[in-house]
Amino acid sequence: MAGLDKRVSTYEEALAGLTDGMIVLAGGFGLCGIPENLIAEIRRRGVKDLTVVSNNCGVDGFGLGVLLEDRQIRKMIASYVGENALFEQQLLNGELEVELTPQGTLAEKMRAGGAGIPAFYTATGYGTPVAEGKEVREIDGRHYILEHAIRGDFAIVKGWKADHFGNVMYRHTAQNFNPLAATAGKITVVEVEEIVEPGELEPSQIHTPGIYVDRIIQGSFEKRIEKRTLRD
């Protein structure tokens, strides 16, 4: 994208340049704050052999789960995958490569990627299978493992409001992995519920500055509830 106006009018334009074998970072936690229309566009485009980095992989039939249905994901880097039966099936059948990563470590991998930090040491995972094959250092009597940052060819993000310049606000718990993913994509695409005129967003309330964002699109959202609990 050239210029300050980051708006695009179609999802096809929003994901222009996405091709087979790319790394895609996806915001969201469970079904909260997921870029559901951008995921649908990835499915429509039919790109294959993707490496997808996200906290989880949606559910059967929705979110990132639809990409599993069409065998578009080659490798999944995630921290929680327990709500998707198809994910389990593909993993056990050897159809899907999976790199399970502790949740905080996954968040820091994205944050570090966006900040230009190539790697970091963390105590999380030491002494477990997570640490296998990784460099270990002892610092002040405690063992740490070296984890490498993550950057993606594309980052797909769900925001609440944005202006033409790509400044983004998230609503409540949608601030989960979305701000982290937004900083770590070579091309960052944000779909939002509302695009406002420049100057309408309170500067102190902006979560992702437009410098990180390449494309903005306004969409409508189903916003499914992962598990509905009712009180008698």
Side-chain angles (χ1 to χ4, degrees):
M1 297 296 294
L4 294 176
D5 192 338
K6 311 291 181 68
R7 292 173 297 174
V8 296
S9 58
T10 68
Y11 279 91
E12 184 176 8
E13 186 180 1
L15 289 179
L18 180 66
T19 58
D20 293 353
M22 283 188 165
I23 300 173
V24 177
L25 312 181
F29 187 104
L31 297 182
C32 175
I34 65 170
E36 57 191 71
N37 299 301
L38 289 169
I39 293 169
E41 173 62 16
I42 293 175
R43 185 184 200 182
R44 189 197 68 79
R45 296 175 77 90
V47 290
K48 304 286 186 180
D49 298 321
L50 298 175
T51 295
V52 176
V53 184
S54 186
N55 178 68
N56 54 288
C57 199
V59 296
D60 295 298
F62 193 68
L64 291 171
V66 301
L67 303 184
L68 292 175
E69 292 178 0
D70 289 355
R71 304 299 196 271
Q72 291 175 262
I73 301 177
R74 178 187 63 83
K75 180 178 181 180
M76 189 72 205
I77 301 175
S79 71
Y80 178 70
V81 295
E83 300 297 331
N84 195 313
L86 182 57
F87 186 105
E88 179 183 13
Q89 177 186 324
Q90 291 186 9
L91 170 62
L92 294 176
N93 291 343
E95 301 175 66
L96 180 66
E97 184 180 348
V98 178
E99 185 177 316
L100 290 176
T101 305
Q103 197 166 83
T105 301
L106 183 62
E108 182 63 10
K109 279 174 171 280
M110 290 191 195
R111 191 202 69 82
I117 299 170
F120 57 93
Y121 285 99
T122 176
T124 303
Y126 173 74
T128 76
V130 169
E132 290 178 4
K134 296 176 181 177
E135 179 185 331
V136 177
R137 286 190 62 180
E138 183 177 344
I139 302 174
D140 294 331
R142 191 175 185 186
H143 289 93
Y144 297 82
I145 60 176
L146 183 68
E147 295 281 5
H148 291 270
I150 291 177
R151 284 188 58 79
D153 298 296
F154 270 79
I156 56 173
V157 174
K158 164 63 168 60
W160 179 35
K161 293 182 180 181
D163 61 21
H164 300 185
F165 300 150
N167 298 304
V168 181
M169 294 173 59
Y170 307 99
R171 190 167 186 266
H172 302 317
T173 52
Q175 292 181 57
N176 44 59
F177 279 84
N178 280 302
L180 302 169
T183 66
K186 293 177 184 177
I187 297 175
T188 293
V189 186
V190 184
E191 58 173 332
V192 296
E193 298 175 38
E194 183 181 0
I195 297 177
V196 302
E197 294 294 322
E200 288 191 31
L201 299 182
E202 174 63 38
S204 64
Q205 300 300 310
I206 291 170
H207 299 112
T208 295
I211 189 67
Y212 290 109
V213 176
D214 298 282
R215 303 167 190 169
I216 286 280
I217 186 167
Q218 183 170 322
S220 57
F221 302 88
E222 184 177 342
K223 296 185 179 180
R224 280 197 203 179
I225 296 174
E226 193 167 358
K227 288 186 178 181
R228 186 183 299 273
T229 302
L230 301 177
R231 179 181 297 172
D232 293 333

